[in-house]
């Protein structure tokens, strides 16, 4: 069956930076359907030549050494520009009649603000573009709390079934995040020990060195908890903690993730101060350059949003209850780095001199980005004649950088490929998003009620000192890199 793609926001930032390059990578990998048609829609007039020239310019910039003029020219043949208002049924009917095939499957990508999702859905319906096999792709921000998400979702669900809606969380498109399923369920050695009986605690960190810059207004609306935790960090937490799914199909995987979200211990006004830290970056130095603080990036009004958040979460399930899962993410930190650290419980027997020290615990460190890899920290006898048999920390290192070099795609490529193939496994269900929002909403309500404001941290540091104290209070420390 032929595939037609209708891309609203067809000359916008996301389309140019991520979506056209992702389709191009599919072409480069030889898996873009030969008869695909991609129609980029925008309100502002443009010519086909002008449109292609812009796409090419961004493509060269964003695909780097993977840019190939010959492949691009071939790819360009399936791209078409169409001027139109995405909320006008007659305009959509015209575009459809002009470009799409009656017997094909249509995929509609909403790369536009959610405030017009409802209007687009109505126009698609009235314009006669929705068929049972039509798919729709959306991505965050899907609301700024549970109620607004439900309202947006309702507008979409009025015309689409849940199995037609593909909600992107680009973290699920990352190889390293998908590899969590392989690591956990294809390596039997972990089965008996992947639980609170053997694991002391888990840390999930997504650290960024970039600041908010010209996205400061957006950040004032969202803050790190809504921008990063509600989606990316909670999805990583889910894949780290889920029970083995019955199969890798969408229903099985999403059902297991939902169970984890529903088991998250609520954080409310009563415990929010003890279980969370909010931070905001002040001026500092990142990668050898002086950078302004969050407040200096705005119009002079003091910013209210957190650019850093640390949370002590807990999944109150049979497998995990009592095991802390520390989440942290922040902008303008010392490095761009994302990882999961699993620290195993330690045997306190004093067979070896150093064994009782906290530094002795075995750790499994899963690097998500920029370098993908897995390290297992082990204890080893120090070579020599010392009769106390001192130990040293060594690690077994599985680096996937070779995989990365061979890779000719990014997270969006994988996700768009799955939309074309009709596989929803790596997309987030409405019930997961609802559960994630409920958990985050309660934290935000707690902050508001307690008037818990962000504390300052120096740009280029590892975060606020409050976050270190928060860990120290549990007798633990962050894994810094
Ligand atoms: C986006 C956030 O969803 O994810 C950004 O809105 C953040 O603020 C980005 O910078 C991080 O994605 P990645 O893939 O660079 O880790």
């Amino acid at each position: 069956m032929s595939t037609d793609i209708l891309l609203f926001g067809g000359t916008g930032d996301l389309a140019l930076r991520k979506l056209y390059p992702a389709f191009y990578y599919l072409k480069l990998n030889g898996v873009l359907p030969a008869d695909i048609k991609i129609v980029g829609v925008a309100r502002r007039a443009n010519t086909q030549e002008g449109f292609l020239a812009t796409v090419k310019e961004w493509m060269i910039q964003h695909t780097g050494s993977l840019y190939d003029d010959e492949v691009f020219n071939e790819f360009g043949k399936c791209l078409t520009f169409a001027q139109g208002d995405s909320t006008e049924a007659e305009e959509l009917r015209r575009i459809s009649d002009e470009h799409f095939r009656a017997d094909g499957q249509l995929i509609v990508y909403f790369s536009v603000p959610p405030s017009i999702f409802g209007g687009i859905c109505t126009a698609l319906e009235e314009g006669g573009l929705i068929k049972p096999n039509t798919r729709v792709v959306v991505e965050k921000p899907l609301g700024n709390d549970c109620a607004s998400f439900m309202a947006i979702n309702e507008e979409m669900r009025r015309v689409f079934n849940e199995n037609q809606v593909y909600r992107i969380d680009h973290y699920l498109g990352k190889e390293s995040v998908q590899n969590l399923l392989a690591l956990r369920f294809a390596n039997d050695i972990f089965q008996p020990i992947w639980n609170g009986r053997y694991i002391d605690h888990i840390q999930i960190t997504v650290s960024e060195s970039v600041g908010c810059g010209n996205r400061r207004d957006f950040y004032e609306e969202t803050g790190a908890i809504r921008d990063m935790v509600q989606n990316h960090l909670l999805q990583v937490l889910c894949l780290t903690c889920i029970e083995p799914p019955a199969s890798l199909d969408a229903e099985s995987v999403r059902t297991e993730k939902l169970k984890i979200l529903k088991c998250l211990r609520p954080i409310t006004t009563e415990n929010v101060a003890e279980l969370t830290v909010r931070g905001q970056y002040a001026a500092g130095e990142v990668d050898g350059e002086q950078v302004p603080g969050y407040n200096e990036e705005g119009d002079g009004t003091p910013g209210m949003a957190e650019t850093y958040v640390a949370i002590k979460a807990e999944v109150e399930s049979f497998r995990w209850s009592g095991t802390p899962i520390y989440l942290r993410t922040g902008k303008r930190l010392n490095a761009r780095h994302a990882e999961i650290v699993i620290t195993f419980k330690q045997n306190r027997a004093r067979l070896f001199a150093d064994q009782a020290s906290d530094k002795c615990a075995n750790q499994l460190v899963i690097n998500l980005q920029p370098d993908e890899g897995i390290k297992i920290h082990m204890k080893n006898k120090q070579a020599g004649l010392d009769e106390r048999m001192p130990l040293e920390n060594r690690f077994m290192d599985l680096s996937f950088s070779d995989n990365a070099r061979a890779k000719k795609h990014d997270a969006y490529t994988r996700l768009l490929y799955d939309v074309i193939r009709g596989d929803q496994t790596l997309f987030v269900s409405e019930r997961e998003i609802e559960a994630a929002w409920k958990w985050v909403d309660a934290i935000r309500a707690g902050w508001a009620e307690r008037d818990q404001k962000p504390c300052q941290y120096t740009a280029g540091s590892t975060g606020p000192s409050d976050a270190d104290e928060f860990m120290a209070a549990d007798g633990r420390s962050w894994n810094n890199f």
Side-chain angles (χ1 to χ4, degrees):
M1 188 188 293
S2 58
T3 305
D4 294 324
I5 304 216
L6 179 58
L7 175 48
F8 293 123
T11 51
D13 189 64
L14 179 71
L16 292 166
R17 215 162 29 85
K18 292 287 181 189
L19 306 182
Y20 298 123
F23 286 120
Y24 164 86
Y25 288 139
L26 288 177
K27 181 90 189 163
L28 201 60
N29 283 280
V31 293
L32 189 73
D35 62 353
I36 198 167
K37 280 191 174 182
I38 304 170
V39 177
V41 178
R43 272 166 186 262
R44 195 173 307 158
N46 202 345
T47 58
Q48 173 69 8
E49 294 66 41
F51 169 67
L52 277 182
T54 311
V55 174
K56 181 171 176 172
E57 192 186 315
W58 283 65
M59 190 77 71
I60 293 171
Q61 202 181 328
H62 289 274
T63 57
S65 61
L66 291 177
Y67 181 78
D68 179 319
D69 215 37
E70 220 171 282
V71 179
F72 180 80
N73 288 338
E74 202 45 43
F75 169 67
K77 292 182 187 157
C78 68
L79 289 184
T80 309
F81 175 76
Q83 186 187 5
D85 181 337
S86 53
T87 56
E88 288 294 331
E90 281 320 306
E91 296 197 22
L92 298 191
R93 193 190 297 277
R94 170 185 54 82
I95 292 173
S96 172
D97 289 347
E98 247 169 64
H99 302 284
F100 299 144
R101 293 153 283 192
D103 61 342
Q105 77 159 352
L106 178 66
I107 295 169
V108 189
Y109 202 118
F110 289 15
S111 179
V112 289
S115 51
I116 59 168
F117 283 9
I120 298 184
C121 286
T122 307
L124 286 169
E125 189 184 31
E126 289 172 1
L129 278 79
I130 302 181
K131 287 183 270 175
N133 67 353
T134 304
R135 298 180 188 139
V136 57
V137 190
V138 292
E139 74 181 283
K140 78 182 202 37
L142 293 176
N144 50 21
D145 56 17
C146 192
S148 52
F149 163 69
M150 297 298 271
I152 293 168
N153 199 47
E154 212 167 285
E155 290 181 312
M156 301 193 64
R157 295 282 275 100
R158 197 180 54 72
V159 294
F160 293 107
N161 292 323
E162 174 67 0
N163 66 8
Q164 294 177 286
V165 184
Y166 289 69
R167 298 179 195 84
I168 288 191
D169 181 318
H170 81 275
Y171 265 57
L172 294 179
K174 291 182 192 271
E175 284 285 342
S176 56
V177 175
Q178 289 158 41
N179 196 37
L180 285 171
L181 289 172
L183 174 78
R184 287 204 45 207
F185 303 124
N187 293 290
D188 287 342
I189 53 165
F190 293 125
Q191 298 313 337
I193 56 172
W194 205 268
N195 53 52
R197 191 154 165 208
Y198 293 98
I199 290 174
D200 176 73
H201 74 281
I202 298 175
Q203 295 182 20
I204 299 176
T205 300
V206 177
S207 156
E208 296 187 275
S209 52
V210 292
C212 294
N214 57 14
R215 292 172 85 217
R216 189 182 182 276
D217 286 349
F218 166 73
Y219 238 70
E220 276 299 281
E221 294 284 307
T222 54
I225 195 164
R226 291 190 272 192
D227 185 39
M228 299 294 290
V229 177
Q230 188 272 344
N231 34 72
H232 310 324
L233 274 90
L234 286 183
Q235 286 294 322
V236 172
L237 180 151
C238 282
L239 291 179
T240 308
C241 296
I242 54 169
E243 294 301 315
S247 84
L248 290 179
D249 67 20
E251 197 197 330
S252 308
V253 173
R254 297 184 342 166
T255 302
E256 295 305 332
K257 285 194 292 160
L258 178 63
K259 285 187 200 160
I260 296 294
L261 293 167
K262 285 188 154 181
C263 284
L264 283 172
R265 175 186 175 195
I267 300 182
T268 58
T269 312
E270 283 65 51
N271 54 9
V272 74
E274 180 200 332
L275 299 179
T276 67
V277 175
R278 300 177 79 193
Q280 195 183 79
Y281 59 84
E285 195 181 303
V286 176
D287 296 332
E289 261 182 47
Q290 273 311 119
V291 296
Y294 178 71
N295 274 329
E296 287 125 49
E297 286 170 336
D299 57 7
T301 48
M304 304 306 286
E306 75 285 344
T307 60
Y308 175 101
V309 62
I311 301 176
K312 180 180 176 181
E314 186 184 333
V315 175
E316 295 180 316
S317 67
F318 267 78
R319 188 186 283 265
W320 295 113
S321 76
T323 310
I325 304 175
Y326 299 95
L327 307 174
R328 77 179 154 153
T329 182
K331 301 236 182 273
R332 282 287 187 235
L333 294 174
N334 59 329
R336 175 172 187 262
H337 184 82
E339 66 172 24
I340 304 166
V341 181
I342 316 274
T343 302
F344 290 90
K345 283 188 177 155
Q346 204 179 325
N347 188 326
R348 296 280 164 178
R350 289 173 184 272
L351 194 56
F352 298 94
D354 314 336
Q355 201 172 10
S357 122
D358 280 341
K359 299 271 169 285
C360 262
N362 290 122
Q363 282 186 327
L364 177 70
V365 180
I366 305 163
N367 276 347
L368 302 177
Q369 64 184 28
D371 300 316
E372 294 169 27
I374 296 174
K375 279 188 186 155
I376 303 183
H377 291 245
M378 309 280 290
K379 300 298 153 277
N380 195 47
K381 176 190 172 300
Q382 267 181 35
L385 299 177
D386 190 330
E387 76 265 18
R388 291 177 310 124
M389 210 191 286
L391 302 174
E392 62 182 359
N393 284 319
R394 300 299 287 267
F395 50 81
M396 294 202 277
D397 191 355
L398 263 178
S399 165
F400 303 135
S401 51
D402 288 350
N403 275 5
R405 262 195 292 279
K407 206 170 76 176
K408 289 194 207 147
H409 64 271
D410 65 0
Y412 277 91
T413 316
R414 169 64 202 239
L415 295 174
L416 290 178
Y417 187 41
D418 285 357
V419 179
I420 294 172
R421 296 188 309 124
D423 181 349
Q424 281 186 310
T425 308
L426 298 178
F427 297 82
V428 190
S429 71
E430 58 189 352
R431 302 200 53 204
E432 286 174 76
I433 300 196
E434 181 186 355
W437 271 127
K438 280 190 179 149
W439 190 69
V440 162
D441 284 355
I443 298 177
R444 291 183 44 249
W447 284 344
E449 216 158 304
R450 294 245 161 215
D451 198 21
Q452 190 176 329
K453 298 210 163 59
C455 52
Q456 299 271 296
Y457 61 95
T458 310
S461 69
T462 56
S465 55
D466 287 30
D468 296 331
E469 287 159 22
F470 159 89
M471 278 301 247
D474 284 356
R476 301 189 173 99
S477 56
W478 293 110
N479 189 58
N480 284 326
F481 23 84

